[in-house]
Amino acid sequence: MVCARAALGPGALWAAAWGVLLLTAPAGAQRGRKKVVHVLEGESGSVVVQTAPGQVVSHRGGTIVLPCRYHYEAAAHDHDGVRLKWTKVVDPLAFADVFVALGPQHRAFGSYRGRAELQGDGPGDASLVLRNVTLQDYGRYECEVTNELEDDTGMVKLDLEGVVFPYHPRGGRYKLTFIEAQRACAEQDGILASAEQLHAAWRDGLDWCNAGWLRDGSVQYPVSQPREPCGGLGGAGSSGTGGGAASGGVRNYGYRHNAEERYDAFCFTSNLPGRVFFLKPLRPVPFSGAARACAARGAAVAKVGQLFAAWKLQLLDRCTAGWLADGSARYPIVNPRARCGGRRPGVRSLGFPDATRRLFGVYCYRAPGAPDPAPGGWGWGWAGGGGWAGGARDPAAWTPLRV
């Protein structure tokens, strides 16, 4: 359920001299670091204590606690009469229900069913435990505590460890509306990146001279190595830390018409629950044979986001191009060397080769727990032997063979 909400007046925030834990960690705070802030006494003499932990960070598949605590005069109020409500901010004034509790009655909503529950660490604890974190869980959450006619709120930002990657489909650059960009990222195991995620990726060295949609509807692109074709040598429209005539930054086109204008996309993905691996069959495969080659190993052709996650988070390094699920050919480089595309780490792209003529290996993704039906010495070929025969052999007739 998504609802719009009017902003609270300043008097409502501290009217009852009890408060909610506010979770705005200082920028650059180390993970797990804590500080305690003592707030002035309210009219009733109660003291509100805010505990601000470091960055609330998780990864896909992880478990995280969104901390929230409240305090008021126990003699004057019954904790069982307090309503606790968690919502997710989906737009500046739009909220999606996540979890609500009133005494012993608890309810989670939508995709949070079966994954969200209260921590329940004594009176005054409204912290929410979120299990099996998904990419879609990224964002800001509001913890609201209501007692009779009084309420107060606190905000928690849930960040995810992961990687930002630029994307455009086979049709070419600048072909995606905002909705199409969202769909394209989802098809490649990702979500549209946020402006904060893109800025962090730029700080880590991401340099991409094509503008792309972000999740807030803005269009931006990161430039680490300033040059004239990529927004010039700095200045207006850039957000960065450098100065002078040759400063890099994130070039910003602002908010664009999301149904008419077309750009690329900047996607974000996180930790993989399974494994990406390179498969080199006995004979090179056209794109049409890639799915069968992976299926013989209990896997599917890897998506672009899965390859980026394996490169960034699992340190996959392979100087051989392979097919991916969208028909592109790419390879991941962790340790740069001259014969593997230059001096910078990254995922190299050969674009979208002709699927009928260009033959590569294939990058496969095996989900956790999926068995490998052909471990070790198994490959692909034709029963009875024989060579490629100029392409006359049909990859659909391939069978697993011990090699």
Side-chain angles (χ1 to χ4, degrees), residues 27 30 57 71 139 144 164 211 231 248 260 352 358 373 401:
Q30 296 179 357
V57 181
H71 170 77
E144 180 183 28
V164 172
E260 295 183 358
F352 294 84
R358 296 293 300 273
L401 299 175

Side-chain angles (χ1 to χ4, degrees), residues 87-288:
T87 53
K88 185 181 181 186
V89 182
V90 294
D91 277 316
L93 291 177
F95 296 73
D97 290 340
V98 173
F99 188 89
V100 65
L102 180 60
Q105 299 180 349
H106 296 180
R107 181 183 178 187
F109 297 88
S111 63
Y112 297 94
R113 291 193 182 109
R115 299 194 298 123
E117 62 182 1
L118 289 181
Q119 179 175 251
D121 187 18
D125 184 19
S127 302
L128 189 72
V129 179
L130 190 58
R131 306 183 189 281
N132 192 22
V133 171
T134 69
L135 294 177
Q136 291 72 26
D137 292 339
Y138 169 85
R140 293 189 302 138
Y141 292 79
E142 184 181 86
C143 173
E144 180 183 28
V145 181
T146 304
N147 179 56
E148 298 175 351
L149 299 179
E150 302 166 346
D151 62 23
D152 200 4
T153 62
M155 198 68 69
V156 184
K157 181 180 178 183
L158 173 59
D159 233 333
L160 296 179
E161 297 171 339
V163 58
V164 172
F165 62 96
Y167 186 76
H168 70 86
R170 179 181 285 275
R173 301 193 184 281
Y174 293 173
K175 300 291 186 181
L176 302 173
T177 65
F178 178 73
I179 298 300
E180 290 168 345
Q182 288 181 315
R183 187 182 307 121
C185 288
E187 290 172 352
Q188 300 308 317
D189 192 49
I191 57 174
L192 275 178
S194 68
E196 293 85 357
Q197 289 169 333
L198 183 64
H199 194 267
W202 166 74
R203 291 199 308 267
D204 285 342
L206 180 61
D207 183 279
W208 195 255
C209 193
N210 292 282
W213 291 105
L214 298 178
R215 65 184 295 151
D216 63 356
S218 66
V219 173
Q220 305 182 35
Y221 64 99
V223 176
S224 297
Q225 300 175 358
R227 56 241 190 234
E228 286 298 339
C230 301
L233 299 178
S238 300
S239 61
T241 58
S247 62
V250 178
R251 313 293 196 237
N252 192 341
Y253 288 4
Y255 299 100
R256 314 305 296 181
H257 195 294
N258 59 22
E260 295 183 358
E261 299 189 39
R262 295 177 181 272
Y263 299 93
D264 291 349
F266 285 102
C267 308
F268 173 84
T269 193
S270 185
N271 184 59
L272 284 174
R275 173 175 170 261
V276 172
F277 60 95
F278 181 78
L279 178 63
K280 185 176 182 179
L282 291 178
R283 296 292 183 269
V285 291
F287 181 64
S288 59

